[in-house]
Amino acid sequence: MISNRELFLKNTAQTSDSPRLIEIERAEGSFLYGPHGEKYLDLVSGFNVSNIGHRHPKVLEAIKEQLDKYLHVTVYGEFVQAPQVQFATNLLKQLPTHFESVYLTNSGAEAVEGSMKVAKKYTGRRQIIAAKKAYHGSTQGALSLIGNPAYQQAYAPLLPEIEFIEYNSISDLALITHDTAAVIIEAIQGEAGVRVPSVSYMQALRTKCNETDTLLIFDEIQTGFGRTGKLFAFNHFGIIPDILMLAKGIGGGMPLGAFVASKKVMDVIKDNPMLGHITTFGGHPVSCAAALASLQVIIDEQLIEQVEIKEKLFRQELNHPKIKEIRGLGLMMCLQLETFDQVYAVSKYCAEKGIMIDWYLHCETALRVAPPLTISEQEIKQACKIIKEGIDKFC
Ligand code: PLP
């Protein structure tokens, strides 16, 4: 019989010549399980998705309840679907009152596309500014903002009138003018290798956008839902963006994204032409039921309150002379090594020893550590012990 691994390589589209090829049979809490008794402690969370762990019972219960009612019934924005309405309402309750309207999407990239359209229509301007080394998704609009020409050239032409600024550089903010529709920026740059900006930078960015009537759009697709020790990372900077883009951890493991804005901004898509931004599956009722339950779990289990303590434990346990720097905030961390060969060898060693760890798109010399927020102290200690063993062996 042909194995699933062979069928994966033969019949599913490959995104690189070196997929990790780890076969998963099931997942639970902080762990992934393979078909031959393998067990991995997940330090990647499916790339910042499984913030409340895998298959949280409250999420499964909400999904099952919704399965008994209805699946897809119509395109987004027409029928009144309780899971969408309830989730949007609960999400807004967690946000400053400036946020009044939630548009639900399938993914992060789709939230980025929608936000760009809203910003252009609302301001009547065309220019969008993004940051170098950003990652906002792989659709053509989002790819236009990626800030790494190596990923863009083969797919040109992309969107016109996109300019790039250096992330965390106050002097580059001078590029934002009255011609700029929006600045789209990650609250903390993820794929650049977890770069945390200064509070003064974010405040200067907010001021510059106010001065030029430019919309400030925060990508919190990686940083959202408690990952950095606050429900959203903008809370660290004492500023409020005009549009907030969400995905990944939003759905408790189900596919969902969103962008959130004031009603005045969001309403531009409803006329001239009407139906200016539509999606068939965006805000799928099962995903929204899961998202509603997941948000409640984050609050009820006080997961955010534990993030800082767990971050400290990681930093303490990962004290090793070969780790040049631990960058990050909360449970969004990055261990800086020297070379990709080291990162690859340590990741491979960790996987063999039952620890799932990865690296970053624009920073292949650093290890990615972003476990479920539910990870226990004992699991953290075990993970750090294996990572240090790997570093001892290969660095
Ligand atoms: N923005 C950020 C910061 C991301 O990390 C990602 C995905 O990794 C996206 C946007 C795109 O999200 P999706 O893959 O759901 O389209």
Side-chain angles (χ1 to χ4, degrees):
M1 203 174 84
I2 308 180
S3 70
N4 277 336
R5 187 173 293 201
E6 285 166 296
L7 292 172
F8 168 86
L9 289 168
K10 182 170 172 284
N11 293 341
T12 69
Q14 299 297 298
T15 54
S16 80
D17 283 332
S18 50
R20 301 237 13 214
L21 281 178
I22 288 165
E23 197 170 342
I24 301 301
E25 192 173 66
R26 67 189 175 87
E28 197 84 55
S30 302
F31 291 94
L32 306 167
Y33 299 88
H36 309 292
E38 306 91 333
K39 180 179 177 186
Y40 308 99
L41 175 57
D42 183 4
L43 293 193
V44 185
S45 303
F47 292 83
N48 295 34
V49 170
S50 316
N51 287 15
I52 61 165
H54 294 275
R55 298 180 72 248
H56 192 288
K58 286 275 167 31
V59 170
L60 296 189
E61 196 184 301
I63 291 173
K64 283 177 190 155
E65 233 174 75
Q66 185 55 37
L67 290 182
D68 286 338
K69 292 180 182 159
Y70 54 91
L71 303 179
H72 174 80
V73 284
T74 191
V75 296
Y76 177 76
E78 294 296 332
F79 292 176
V80 180
Q81 301 181 49
Q84 292 180 345
V85 176
Q86 292 301 322
F87 175 61
T89 304
N90 276 18
L91 179 61
L92 290 176
K93 277 189 196 152
Q94 303 301 324
L95 290 168
T97 51
H98 152 84
F99 291 109
E100 298 166 316
S101 182
V102 182
Y103 190 110
L104 296 161
T105 65
N106 295 283
S107 67
E110 202 189 335
V112 174
E113 299 290 336
S115 301
M116 279 196 278
K117 284 171 66 181
V118 165
K120 284 179 169 176
K121 181 115 190 280
Y122 180 76
T123 59
R125 304 173 187 175
R126 291 290 165 262
Q127 184 195 57
I128 292 180
I129 290 186
K132 290 178 190 164
K133 292 195 178 166
Y135 184 73
H136 297 288
S138 273
T139 52
Q140 294 211 50
L143 190 63
S144 305
L145 308 172
I146 201 168
N148 182 343
Y151 287 92
Q152 294 182 313
Q153 272 148 11
Y155 305 103
L158 295 172
L159 284 184
E161 300 194 44
I162 309 286
E163 298 293 333
F164 290 97
I165 53 175
E166 204 65 60
Y167 193 72
N168 205 22
S169 156
I170 291 186
S171 61
D172 265 21
L173 299 180
L175 287 171
I176 303 166
T177 69
H178 281 92
D179 289 330
T180 313
V183 174
I184 299 188
I185 197 154
E186 289 160 274
I188 292 171
Q189 276 199 327
E191 295 311 312
V194 190
R195 299 207 292 162
V196 183
S198 67
V199 172
S200 55
Y201 172 73
M202 281 303 187
Q203 293 191 345
L205 172 62
R206 178 67 274 182
T207 303
K208 186 71 187 181
C209 287
N210 289 347
E211 285 166 4
T212 54
D213 293 323
T214 298
L215 292 180
L216 177 56
I217 304 181
F218 257 35
D219 182 335
E220 294 243 22
I221 288 165
Q222 284 206 24
T223 51
F225 295 94
R227 169 116 343 247
T228 68
K230 305 260 186 208
L231 188 58
F232 298 108
F234 73 79
N235 295 128
H236 290 289
F237 306 120
I239 58 161
I240 301 173
D242 297 299
I243 301 181
L244 182 64
M245 307 191 298
L246 304 168
K248 289 193 182 273
I250 193 174
M254 293 293 283
L256 189 68
F259 55 103
V260 192
S262 68
K263 206 147 182 56
K264 197 166 80 169
V265 168
M266 196 66 95
D267 274 355
V268 296
I269 50 173
K270 74 179 180 159
D271 49 28
N272 250 338
M274 65 186 278
L275 303 174
H277 192 68
I278 46 182
T279 166
T280 299
F281 284 125
H284 192 283
V286 179
S287 295
C288 286
L292 184 61
S294 175
L295 183 55
Q296 207 53 51
V297 166
I298 292 172
I299 296 164
D300 291 348
E301 294 187 9
Q302 301 184 324
L303 295 183
I304 298 174
E305 287 79 345
Q306 302 164 33
V307 167
E308 201 182 320
I309 298 165
K310 290 177 181 176
E311 176 194 1
K312 272 200 187 126
L313 185 58
F314 264 110
R315 286 181 181 272
Q316 178 192 311
E317 297 290 312
L318 284 171
N319 185 13
H320 190 288
K322 291 285 168 63
I323 300 177
K324 288 165 60 183
E325 188 187 3
I326 302 178
R327 283 190 299 278
L329 195 56
L331 292 177
M332 180 169 173
M333 281 182 284
C334 159
L335 318 182
Q336 188 62 52
L337 303 182
E338 276 301 337
T339 65
F340 177 64
D341 286 348
Q342 290 177 345
V343 164
Y344 186 79
V346 174
S347 310
K348 195 160 169 283
Y349 176 83
C350 285
E352 282 159 12
K353 297 283 174 184
I355 305 294
M356 190 62 69
I357 195 165
D358 215 282
W359 52 89
Y360 294 94
L361 191 65
H362 304 318
C363 181
E364 290 186 334
T365 49
L367 289 165
R368 176 191 290 265
V369 175
L373 312 186
T374 48
I375 191 169
S376 71
E377 292 190 4
Q378 191 225 326
E379 288 162 357
I380 294 174
K381 286 184 182 162
Q382 172 66 6
C384 294
K385 181 171 161 282
I386 305 283
I387 294 170
K388 284 194 294 192
E389 270 175 28
I391 291 175
D392 281 338
K393 261 182 180 313
F394 297 103
C395 299

